[in-house]
Structure formats: structure tokens, C-alpha cells
Amino acid sequence: MQSDPNRPLVVADRDSTVVGTFQLTIVPGPSRKGSTLSIVEGARVRSPERGHGLGARPAEGAVEEPRRQGCQLVQPASDSARDDAHRVDGRMGFTSSHVDVKLQL
């Protein structure tokens, strides 16, 4: 994963302990007049760290890095059951715009 510059894995640590992660995927695409977008996946914060604002800091990085790379859209991907993640997304200004479907293989 780390060898692909379009898929950086970001790790947050406190006192040498991993407390959060997320991965960006930078994708040039045909939609939105050829816009480049960033998909945010695997956003996780350790249970004891939740509720202390730690989730917002990686979320800010998940916006700033794609902005730096010229992306026009950032799209977080999270399970529909992850209400806490959706609250963080909403506080960051993300709005619901798509119905996402998957096929388990």
C-alpha cells in the first residue's frame, strides 16, 4: 500500500500507540468534467480515544491532502451503520449525495 503515491495510508499515534488511521485514494475520473477525486476509506479511531476530537484531526487531513493534490471532490466511504463517523463527516461539512451499493464477492 505504501508504495502507491495515490493511496497514502495515514496513521495517527499518541505515545507510540496507533490511535487512528485512514487511507486516501486519489482518482482521476471521467465524472464532473474530468475532476480528480479523493476517496477516504478505513477511517478508524481507537475506542478509548473517541469523543475527544481526535476523529476531526484526521478528517481535516483527509481534506487538506486532496486539496493540495488538486482534487475537486473528497468522498468519505463508511458503512451506513457508522453513525459516529457520519456525525464527524457532517461537522466537517460533508453532505449526503449518493446511494452507495456494493456486491460482496
Side-chain angles (χ1 to χ4, degrees):
M1 272 189 293
Q2 288 297 86
S3 65
D4 186 343
N6 291 322
R7 293 182 52 90
L9 176 66
V10 179
V11 177
D13 72 275
R14 178 176 293 149
D15 300 324
S16 300
T17 299
V18 173
V19 295
T21 63
F22 70 88
Q23 183 174 23
L24 297 176
T25 301
I26 308 296
V27 183
S31 298
R32 303 182 193 280
K33 299 179 181 177
S35 294
T36 300
L37 67 93
S38 176
I39 301 167
V40 182
E41 299 178 283
R44 301 288 187 272
V45 174
R46 284 187 68 211
S47 295
E49 305 292 333
R50 294 180 190 155
H52 302 289
L54 184 64
R57 280 179 256 148
E60 290 165 2
V63 172
E64 290 309 313
E65 179 59 20
R67 182 176 284 135
R68 188 185 71 71
Q69 291 197 33
C71 293
Q72 289 80 31
L73 182 75
V74 177
Q75 181 175 318
S78 61
D79 190 285
S80 60
R82 295 190 63 217
D83 295 331
D84 290 341
H86 300 153
R87 277 191 287 279
V88 171
D89 293 344
R91 284 195 298 270
M92 295 294 302
F94 290 97
T95 58
S96 181
S97 64
H98 290 75
V99 174
D100 189 30
V101 296
K102 293 178 177 34
L103 176 63
Q104 186 71 35
L105 300 178

